[in-house]
Amino acid sequence: MSTELPPVAPEVLAEAVENLTARLRKKLDAATEGCAAGAVLEADGTVTLRFGEDALVTLRPGPAGTITTADQATCGCLLAPRCLHRAAALGAAPLADTPPEPAAEPEPGPAAAPTAAAADPTGSTEPAASAVPAGPVGATVPATPALTAAQLRAAGALWHVAAEALAAGVTAGGAVVQAELLRAAHTARLAGLIRAEAAALRVVRGLRAAREHRAGQRLGDLTDAFRELLHTAGLLAAGSADPALTGTARRAYAPGGSLQVHGLCREPVLSATGYGGVVTHLLAADGTPYSVSDVRPGGLARARGAGSASVTLGGATLDHAGLARGGLRIVGATVSAEGRLGAGRGVRATPLPGSAWTEQPAARLFARPAAEAVAALLADPDAAESTLLGCDVTVVGAVGEHLLVRETRPDAPLLRLLPAHPHPELAHTENLRRIASYPGLQLRVLGRPDLDRTATLRPVAVGPVPGAEHTLRLPEEWLGRADLGYDRLQGAHFPQGAAAPVPLPAAEGPDPLADSPLWRVRRLLETGVAGGRRAVAEAARGTESLAGASYAPLRRAGLTAAAELAAALAAEADRRPRDVFGRLADPSPDGYAWAWLAAATHLAAAERCLIAASWAASPSAVPVSGR
């Protein structure tokens, strides 16, 4: 059984690769592959990897179990620390992640969120023109507060390495390309560009997963990660200082005064970087959403156990299961921008009796059609990740991987329910499978819309529909709802007897997103991510003409802009400039990156429009263009 390597801070790995000679860098991918299989955990907690007879790499993680400094990774060869063995061992280790919650928070009192703009060490405030990439012709930058010179340089450097990584693609995006991204990401973090750093780390993790062919890895996710990185770095390098682009390093907690919040539900949290825990969703009397989270390293075991762990908030004597069906009166509350409640020393909390979903403020969530709630979320995608919506539905049945339901209102579309978390050790999948065996069952569902799929909801809790005969029969102590990630539905929780027959469709029906010819643009973009610029150029040469047969379905469907942007991307990818002697020269990646980003941004907007339409009408009423 192989030993898992300790996570490594991105800047430590970037420095190790940067110190290699050009000759050793060419050998790095081959040296990294498979070297983790020989790792050995020693009695003192260190991890050793042997490379031949004379090279032994030793990794000594700190108290948090992470390699955070260069001296924690050593090698016994003569070239150390500038050796291939040490860099390969660090490259084989997972990237360390920062904790999702801050270790401490400010005491109640006048406080402001820390500015995302870090001070320039030189004290200069003059913009660095050389750091700004050349944007598309005619592009204008809106007037915004100026970034510092250090931030402009960091954003420009990150744009450049991101464009190079995109041009390389997964096939050529090995350890050296990833290290350059990590170095630029670390520089961006030091300059206060936190969102840019997070986007770069997401791309690096996606490149690693794609090159290692990990289960569950999707090329579409890496495509979206590249779009986010290029969008953020490009705007920052062009001088935009929008706080939404810069981000903040840690959640800033501000005084929230006195609050009275009521529990909605709880859901397990399980991240790909080894964190696990629970988040309990709350609602204030005015409808403002809040949450209390407990997420720490520990993975699946902690995600399963945290649902009944004690709530560490102002001395409240209840656990997360009780809070999800109860409430709190809080004095001296501290609240982050995302609505998370802090547990500072000045916070005092007293438990309150719980309220049912049929009472205010929870009843407000189920009062409007789901289409209206989704339309509001699409206008603010950042808020959609943490916002829950409610609706009453009738179970139709399972088709493929989906549980089909129909909202109980006239001309309502079929909605697809998917597990909020697919891990088989969590209860989501099993609960949805049991619900699917009761066609005609009426449910009150509270969930998170999946804005990347057609009319798809990921439920976190369910309850009975008030006044319905064929609905759930839950225990009184559950207060009218079941948390799908923790509570397991049994036969006694379902009504006896059959409901009115519900015709199960032979198929899921038309999918306006999948049936749209926009898939041609996505395939072109994903081809570029997988194979790089060369793959896009070769794909373009294989068509009859850039503006002809390949994009004719887009034009016939009225998607002219998509066709033009796809053709421009293919043309830019195949551009082969020559120097004064007629020799082929490698073009700058900037033009190709801008063309790719333009097509990707337009595609994302078009897909969002189709997704919004899928929530608003029955499938037969949604326009579906030919393929």
Side-chain angles (χ1 to χ4, degrees), residues 178-550:
Q178 295 169 26
E180 291 174 350
L181 278 168
L182 293 177
R183 169 63 72 183
H186 182 60
T187 303
R189 182 178 184 84
L190 294 179
L193 306 179
I194 307 305
R195 178 171 174 177
E197 182 221 20
L201 293 180
R202 183 184 170 198
V203 167
V204 172
R205 291 191 174 100
L207 286 172
R208 284 188 166 195
R211 290 177 62 84
E212 296 170 7
H213 305 288
R214 296 179 190 170
Q217 191 278 332
R218 295 177 60 249
L219 188 58
D221 293 337
L222 182 54
T223 302
D224 294 340
F226 263 112
R227 186 190 74 236
E228 169 70 13
L229 174 58
L230 290 169
H231 170 79
T232 303
L235 287 180
L236 288 171
S240 175
D242 187 343
L245 291 174
T246 53
T248 55
R250 300 169 78 85
R251 290 191 176 94
Y253 285 82
S258 297
L259 293 175
Q260 184 169 310
V261 293
H262 302 273
L264 283 175
C265 61
R266 60 192 162 138
E267 64 172 319
V269 176
L270 182 61
S271 76
T273 53
Y275 285 86
V278 63
V279 57
T280 298
H281 299 278
L282 310 165
L283 205 61
D286 61 356
T288 303
Y290 294 95
S291 64
V292 174
S293 66
D294 182 7
V295 181
R296 301 175 189 173
L300 176 63
R302 195 172 194 288
R304 297 175 62 181
S308 56
S310 298
V311 175
T312 57
L313 180 65
T317 56
L318 76 168
D319 56 21
H320 281 272
L323 179 58
R325 294 182 172 94
L328 287 175
R329 179 179 289 109
I330 307 173
V331 178
T334 57
V335 186
S336 75
E338 298 85 2
R340 296 189 183 274
L341 296 175
R345 290 192 298 270
V347 179
R348 297 291 180 267
T350 305
L352 293 174
S355 60
W357 282 358
T358 55
E359 304 172 8
Q360 297 296 348
R364 190 179 296 116
L365 295 174
F366 304 91
R368 62 174 177 173
E372 293 183 9
V374 170
L377 293 179
L378 287 170
D380 186 10
D382 291 337
E385 297 181 1
S386 58
T387 301
L388 301 178
L389 65 84
C391 58
D392 294 343
V393 301
T394 300
V395 174
V396 176
V399 175
E401 63 175 350
H402 302 120
L403 168 59
L404 297 185
V405 299
R406 191 181 296 277
E407 192 175 0
T408 55
R409 63 179 179 85
D411 299 324
L414 281 174
L415 303 182
R416 299 162 171 85
L417 301 188
L418 285 177
H421 200 293
H423 198 288
E425 294 297 324
L426 298 177
H428 297 98
T429 301
E430 180 184 341
N431 282 329
L432 288 185
R433 187 181 297 116
R434 185 174 289 273
I435 291 172
S437 63
Y438 289 85
L441 179 72
Q442 292 185 288
L443 287 175
R444 174 157 281 190
V445 178
L446 188 66
R448 187 175 295 104
D450 187 337
L451 300 184
D452 294 326
R453 297 172 182 260
T454 301
T456 300
L457 186 68
R458 296 187 180 270
V460 298
V462 295
V465 174
E469 179 180 355
H470 201 73
T471 189
L472 291 175
R473 305 286 191 264
L474 299 180
E476 184 176 351
E477 59 270 20
W478 286 16
L479 205 63
R481 64 261 206 178
D483 299 329
L484 293 179
Y486 290 107
D487 301 322
R488 294 188 181 271
L489 297 174
Q490 307 295 331
H493 299 150
F494 293 88
Q496 303 300 317
V502 177
L504 181 66
E508 296 184 35
D511 187 331
L513 184 59
D515 295 338
S516 167
L518 286 172
W519 66 267
R520 298 172 182 271
V521 182
R522 175 162 286 279
R523 185 173 67 178
L524 182 66
L525 294 171
E526 292 181 353
T527 296
V529 170
R533 178 175 186 161
R534 180 178 299 178
V536 176
E538 291 175 355
R541 298 189 201 110
T543 60
E544 295 180 3
S545 67
L546 293 177
S550 181

